Amino acid sequence: SQQGEEDPQALSIQEGENATMNCSYKTSINNLQWYRQNSGRGLVHLILIRSNEREKHSGRLRVTLDTSKKSSSLLITASRAADTASYFCATDAGQGAQKLVFGQGTRLTINP
Amino acid sequence: GEEVAQTPKHLVRGEGQKAKLYCAPIKGHSYVFWYQQVLKNEFKFLISFQNENVFDETGMPKERFSAKCLPNSPCSLEIQATKLEDSAVYFCASSQAGVGYTFGSGTRLTVV
């Protein structure tokens, strides 16, 4: 069954605006990761946040994690047309090389 | 840079035919994962390997799907007697110590 639920399923904003996507999960985790998928392409790893971290930044990306609510958010600031893609959260619940359990993704469209 | 190489990029098979997909993980990565993505949505975990050993095969349909990772060869995912519902994009990923997954660009399988 799908661990992560992403919200919204689709988001359309104007270039320059900020985009926020949310992800909820069900079980305890070791870390949570966000990936981007451009249409018809593979997944690109964006950022990983560990269960003992609350916030992490990477360039225009800001990720928060609330383990008490089992939720995470991805904020993209000053969006660009090139940010148009699907964004997926994925959780890694086990020790060692455990599988990733993905959310269903948010389709982000940046309008010029 | 380093990448996970998946071949072929596209594969078309008639229903009932065999399909074989290949994945060359990043050199030095000891973990390999296969995922199935249907209709650009959810990523379904199929199987993972630690070197040439099966690590987790809980996602594999037992009857028609098989996979191998042999030394000095690309990993492979084989589907015997394909069905229409096998049409999907199959992604391979590799990692070292289970963190920092790198995904390939996928193989799009179309069963007609």
Side-chain angles (χ1 to χ4, degrees), chain A residues 13-34:
Chain A
I13 61 173
Q14 295 301 119
E15 197 167 19
E17 294 181 337
N18 295 342
T20 300
M21 290 159 272
N22 302 297
C23 166
S24 61
Y25 56 92
K26 297 175 183 174
T27 63
S28 297
I29 61 170
N30 289 331
N31 64 66
L32 185 144
Q33 305 179 43
W34 284 90

Side-chain angles (χ1 to χ4, degrees), chain B residues 59-112:
Chain B
M60 283 286 272
K62 296 289 187 186
E63 301 83 22
R64 299 180 296 107
F65 284 60
S66 63
K68 294 178 185 177
C69 275
L70 300 177
N72 303 313
S73 297
C75 296
S76 64
L77 176 68
E78 189 168 316
I79 309 172
Q80 302 284 345
T82 53
K83 298 182 178 180
L84 295 177
E85 62 259 32
D86 298 331
S87 294
V89 182
Y90 292 83
F91 287 97
C92 174
S94 71
S95 73
Q96 180 62 336
V99 180
Y101 301 78
T102 301
F103 281 80
S105 297
T107 292
R108 179 176 298 278
L109 172 65
T110 303
V111 181
V112 297

Side-chain angles (χ1 to χ4, degrees), chain A residues 62-110:
Chain A
R62 174 180 164 238
V63 169
T64 62
L65 179 64
D66 187 335
T67 53
S68 67
K69 295 181 179 178
K70 291 187 169 58
S71 68
S72 174
S73 67
L74 171 67
L75 168 68
I76 304 174
T77 60
S79 62
R80 304 168 182 170
D83 295 329
T84 294
S86 292
Y87 292 81
F88 293 86
C89 68
T91 53
D92 176 357
Q95 293 183 344
Q98 290 285 340
K99 62 191 178 188
L100 292 177
V101 181
F102 284 85
Q104 294 185 332
T106 293
R107 174 68 190 168
L108 175 65
T109 302
I110 308 299

Side-chain angles (χ1 to χ4, degrees), chain B residues 6-42:
Chain B
Q6 289 191 247
T7 56
K9 291 192 184 303
H10 302 279
L11 188 59
V12 179
R13 286 289 179 265
E15 204 170 4
Q17 291 186 317
K18 183 176 74 174
K20 195 164 186 178
L21 292 61
Y22 296 93
C23 168
I26 290 174
K27 193 174 182 181
H29 282 192
S30 50
Y31 295 95
V32 173
F33 305 80
W34 285 98
Y35 291 84
Q36 177 196 56
Q37 185 185 30
V38 178
L39 297 176
K40 296 184 181 180
N41 291 323
E42 174 183 340

